[in-house]
Amino acid sequence: MLSIVGIRKTFNPGSVNERLALAGLSLHLQAGDVVTVIGGNGAGKSTLLNMVAGVHPVDEGRIIIENQAVEHLPEHIRASYIGRVFQDPMMGTAASMTIEENLAMAVRRGSTRKLRRGIRSKDRQYFCEQLELLGLGLEDRLTTRVGLLSGGQRQALTLLMATLVPPKLLLLDEHTAALDPSTAQKVLELTEKMIKKHKLTTLMVTHNMEDALRIGNRTIMMHEGRIIFDLKGEQRKNTRIPDLLEMFKKASGRSMANDRMLLAN
Ligand SMILES: Nc1ncnc2c1ncn2[C@@H]1O[C@H](COP(=O)(O)OP(=O)(O)OP(=O)(O)O)[C@@H](O)[C@H]1O
Ligand SMILES: [Mg+2]
């Protein structure tokens, strides 16, 4: 479904700010795989997702989604089959537009034919049904500007928009990290619901190791632009958080003790 083959990325090459973000990383996902991605700060997790989404061009390597090479396609073309939710609740929705306008935009994803059509009552009914599933009362606020919503409400809406037309691939980058614990919990439950409902192939970056082991069917850990381990099946089932810490230490030669992961709620 998704094949990433030997991707490399160096930011600011040749300058004092040169940073190797991805060091020839390869990863293959089957359709329906839900892979959690963990690793220390600067490991390259966000860069990996950004490269798949087309935010940055690759220096080297290939990205293949359902047999189509996408590494040279611009971000807006890839957006028609990739759903994304970022860490920052301010991204992913348009603040000055209403909830229904944002949802109408999401429905049009990948379809130019519907571009000029206005919002019809049938659309509104569908939006209401979908918003009800979030359980946040947003179905009564279709004409509220998104800029007036709370971070959690906005993140839930972004998630709905990212999955309203089921994408081939869902990319989540610490999408609950900026929310208070109970809202984060709720958005995470919604995420799992959406993934199950649409059987979405997903890459989810998290700094919460409990979530990393609980959600999905596979966990990869990154360090210095590489995958240092890849857990699935029985091995993953038998792995506990202290095991992860130990594996990280062995593979990277340093302890994760000061890392944000350990401070995760
Ligand atoms: N746009 C950019 N310009 C320059 N350097 C960048 C850029 N994006 C990432 N980097 C660098 O690339 C490396 C990998 O960063 P990345 O953001 O992918 O890490 P991460 O694993 O997501 O970390 P975090 O857990 O802090 O989010 C870091 O050294 C970072 O400073
Ligand atoms: Mg990141």
Side-chain angles (χ1 to χ4, degrees):
M1 154 69 217
L2 170 70
S3 281
I4 296 170
V5 188
I7 50 169
R8 293 185 68 86
K9 182 70 185 176
T10 302
F11 288 104
N12 310 313
S15 83
V16 286
N17 293 320
E18 180 171 306
R19 291 274 179 287
L20 176 65
L22 292 175
L25 180 146
S26 297
L27 177 67
H28 302 275
L29 265 61
Q30 305 291 324
D33 269 349
V34 178
V35 180
T36 54
V37 184
I38 55 177
N41 296 126
K45 306 177 297 294
S46 296
T47 305
L48 172 64
L49 267 55
N50 284 334
M51 305 287 270
V52 173
V55 178
H56 311 296
V58 298
D59 292 343
E60 238 177 76
R62 313 212 67 195
I63 301 170
I64 298 155
I65 300 176
E66 281 188 344
N67 300 322
Q68 192 192 1
V70 302
E71 69 270 5
H72 296 302
L73 296 180
E75 186 178 5
H76 72 274
I77 301 282
R78 294 190 220 181
S80 63
Y81 41 83
I82 294 176
R84 303 193 68 177
V85 189
F86 309 85
Q87 179 170 348
D88 184 352
M90 299 307 136
M91 290 169 76
T93 46
S96 61
M97 289 165 65
T98 64
I99 291 180
E100 66 176 17
E101 286 167 348
N102 271 275
L103 288 170
M105 239 179 9
V107 165
R108 286 172 196 145
R109 179 152 59 94
S111 152
T112 47
R113 269 175 56 208
K114 293 185 203 145
L115 212 60
R116 287 176 197 290
R117 190 173 79 120
I119 300 170
R120 298 176 181 167
S121 65
K122 215 173 79 197
D123 300 326
R124 283 205 176 89
Q125 196 186 329
Y126 177 63
F127 295 163
C128 280
E129 285 164 18
Q130 296 301 310
L131 287 164
E132 264 174 38
L133 298 176
L134 302 182
L136 296 170
L138 296 180
E139 62 275 14
D140 301 324
R141 302 178 65 186
L142 277 183
T143 55
T144 298
R145 280 197 301 119
V146 165
L148 299 175
L149 301 180
S150 71
Q153 290 169 332
R154 208 157 153 178
Q155 205 62 327
L157 183 64
T158 306
L159 185 67
L160 181 59
M161 287 174 65
T163 53
L164 202 57
V165 175
K168 290 186 198 297
L169 194 60
L170 179 64
L171 303 177
L172 306 168
D173 191 354
E174 304 204 43
H175 70 304
T176 61
L179 307 175
D180 67 79
S182 77
T183 313
Q185 188 55 38
K186 185 148 200 181
V187 171
L188 204 57
E189 278 166 20
L190 281 170
T191 307
E192 294 186 73
K193 214 155 98 182
M194 298 296 188
I195 290 173
K196 275 216 180 81
K197 183 171 154 197
H198 301 297
K199 299 188 173 63
L200 298 173
T201 309
T202 305
L203 271 174
M204 178 178 123
V205 177
T206 178
H207 63 262
N208 184 315
M209 293 204 271
E210 205 178 302
D211 291 342
L213 289 174
R214 185 180 59 80
I215 296 172
N217 62 321
R218 187 172 166 193
T219 299
I220 58 173
M221 181 175 260
M222 290 182 61
H223 180 61
E224 293 178 350
R226 290 187 180 84
I227 294 172
I228 55 172
F229 63 76
D230 186 346
L231 291 171
K232 41 195 158 182
E234 281 302 304
Q235 191 195 5
R236 183 176 187 255
K237 263 189 212 137
N238 297 325
T239 302
R240 302 285 171 266
I241 293 173
D243 305 325
L244 280 184
L245 297 176
E246 191 52 39
M247 290 161 95
F248 181 79
K249 202 171 170 183
K250 269 202 186 126
S252 71
R254 72 177 174 92
S255 156
M256 244 180 347
N258 291 321
D259 224 74
R260 204 153 47 99
M261 290 182 186
L262 285 179
L263 305 171
N265 47 52

